[in-house]
Amino acid sequence: MEPYSYNYNYLLVAVLGLLGAGFGLAPILIARVLAPRKPSSTKNSVFECGLEGSGDPWIQFHIRYYHYAIAFVIFSIEAVFLMPWAAAYLELPWTGILGMALFLLLLAEGLIWMWSKGYLEWK
Amino acid sequence: MEISDPQEMEGLRSELQKAGVFVTTMEFIYNWGRSSSIWPLQFGLACCAIEMICTAGARFDLARFGAEVFRPSPRQADLMIVSGTVTKKMAPQVVRLYNQMPEPKYVITMGACAISGGPFKQGYNVLKGVDRFIPVDVHIPGCPPRPEALIHALVTLQKKISAQTTLPREQGDVSNRAYDKGDQHYPVPQLGAHDIVPPFNPEVWHPEPVRRDS
């Protein structure tokens, strides 16, 4: 491969990725070979600060918590998407602006919904 | 050449070192690694735990001995520091947590309470020593022991680990029980009507018979 070519840069990334994966996997593999294995029902059971676990972890959350989900998307997820969008704002084509406007419109709708339902009031 | 005598091995090592050749054994490296990164389980039972926390802090700095990584889960812990009074209500949880730790695992009893019940020995609800249920490697006396004492216990444990044979040359030639073929599971006691059942594990606890001169 030609040095300093486009693909050469990706080769460096691949090498770094492989080294990183090896660094993480090597201790796990060494431990698998060296560590004595003595499974028991207590050891394989759920860790609950020494107590025996009770109940099913796969519980369903009640539907009435949906407004927390809406608030989370508006105030948390929105920022995550807005930040890189704002950074690349000047280079974006008009579809980028339109897409974000659509996204913000949906979120604004959620905000208005929550406002009108009174979920933003501190009780 | 087969060398089984550790003293002979040590002599050969120093002889070769003079000639500029460094030799070591797999067991030495393995034990060095194990003894230099003992990760304790993060839990405290009573006032001794305050001293334990102090030991992990900046002034006494347990990190110098590679044991500062207190793990909040028994899955990643090597060492259980029983720091404080073990009540009979807490004993099943302590034994359960010990069982949940992966081998090889070690126990340090910190303070008089963990050793024997200490000042609360007469209490109806106090376990008279955690060594009734789990095998203890190092006992630290004191009420509570100072952080230096805990560090001393850790160094004692490191010496103990370094002297252990873990990679057996022959079958049954291991001094660390974790590397035996056998199981290392200790039954968890239950709270009964009057006391914990069983009151002790006869496999672990061998009390001296009481002798009365009369």
Side-chain angles (χ1 to χ4, degrees):
Chain A
M1 205 180 286
E2 190 77 21
Y4 305 111
S5 67
Y6 186 75
N7 288 334
Y8 181 79
N9 287 333
Y10 276 104
L11 182 71
L12 290 181
V13 173
V15 168
L16 196 67
L18 279 176
L19 283 176
F23 191 75
L25 286 174
I28 296 172
L29 290 174
I30 293 169
R32 196 159 270 269
V33 174
L34 284 176
R37 261 169 208 290
K38 297 188 177 200
S40 70
S41 59
T42 315
K43 198 180 281 175
N44 294 341
S45 65
V46 183
F47 168 59
E48 269 300 336
C49 304
L51 298 163
E52 277 180 59
S54 66
D56 189 10
W58 289 90
I59 54 161
Q60 287 183 326
F61 286 98
H62 201 279
I63 188 67
R64 68 171 171 238
Y65 291 115
Y66 77 95
H67 52 264
Y68 290 109
I70 293 177
F72 179 70
V73 171
I74 292 171
F75 297 113
S76 229
I77 307 285
E78 185 186 14
V80 174
F81 282 120
L82 269 178
M83 223 39 120
W85 177 79
Y89 178 73
L90 291 175
E91 286 123 56
L92 282 178
W94 63 274
T95 47
I97 317 279
L98 190 74
M100 188 46 90
L102 215 67
F103 179 59
L104 289 179
L105 198 72
L106 285 169
L107 290 183
E109 195 192 346
L111 188 64
I112 293 164
W113 171 264
M114 282 186 65
W115 208 327
S116 62
K117 283 271 177 184
Y119 289 132
L120 296 181
E121 300 289 323
W122 185 268
K123 275 175 248 172
Chain B
M1 188 169 63
E2 184 83 18
I3 298 169
S4 51
D5 186 28
Q7 241 172 353
E8 206 177 320
M9 183 75 212
E10 196 54 52
L12 180 68
R13 190 183 292 159
S14 70
E15 200 62 41
L16 280 168
Q17 214 156 3
K18 279 176 208 156
V21 182
F22 181 72
V23 286
T24 186
T25 55
M26 281 304 286
E27 195 153 67
F28 177 82
I29 295 174
Y30 189 28
N31 281 346
W32 172 76
R34 286 196 304 129
S35 64
S36 308
S37 64
I38 306 173
W39 291 4
L41 183 59
Q42 185 177 29
F43 79 109
L45 292 177
C47 21
C48 283
I50 304 297
E51 300 290 315
M52 181 180 73
I53 294 159
C54 189
T55 318
R59 183 180 286 260
F60 296 97
D61 199 11
L62 203 59
R64 293 176 292 162
F65 305 94
E68 82 283 12
V69 198
F70 280 83
R71 305 313 297 181
S73 161
R75 317 270 192 234
Q76 304 160 350
D78 307 306
L79 168 67
M80 179 180 247
I81 303 174
V82 186
S83 54
T85 323
V86 185
T87 56
K88 283 177 182 171
K89 198 169 184 179
M90 197 63 195
Q93 277 75 274
V94 172
V95 179
R96 231 178 112 77
L97 283 177
Y98 179 75
N99 279 328
Q100 286 187 333
M101 283 161 61
E103 282 81 11
K105 49 193 171 185
Y106 311 96
V107 180
I108 289 177
T109 51
M110 187 176 179
C113 291
I115 294 172
S116 66
F120 312 113
K121 192 178 171 66
Q122 311 298 331
Y124 67 94
N125 61 338
V126 173
L127 188 70
K128 279 104 191 133
V130 79
D131 57 348
R132 287 171 184 234
F133 289 108
I134 53 177
V136 178
D137 293 281
V138 182
H139 294 280
I140 329 172
C143 187
R146 281 192 56 82
E148 290 95 330
L150 182 56
I151 290 173
H152 180 241
L154 188 80
V155 173
T156 310
L157 182 63
Q158 284 182 336
K159 278 182 190 156
K160 188 175 176 177
I161 292 171
S162 305
Q164 279 175 339
T165 52
T166 44
L167 306 169
R169 292 172 202 87
E170 292 153 32
Q171 197 61 36
D173 185 26
V174 283
S175 62
N176 190 334
R177 212 188 144 190
Y179 292 84
D180 268 342
K181 286 276 170 282
D183 196 24
Q184 204 186 358
H185 181 265
Y186 296 92
V188 180
Q190 298 294 323
L191 271 177
H194 304 291
D195 200 357
I196 40 177
V197 185
F200 62 90
N201 183 357
E203 225 180 290
V204 182
W205 196 53
H206 311 286
E208 287 279 309
V210 180
R211 288 198 204 92
R212 287 196 179 84
D213 301 322
S214 58

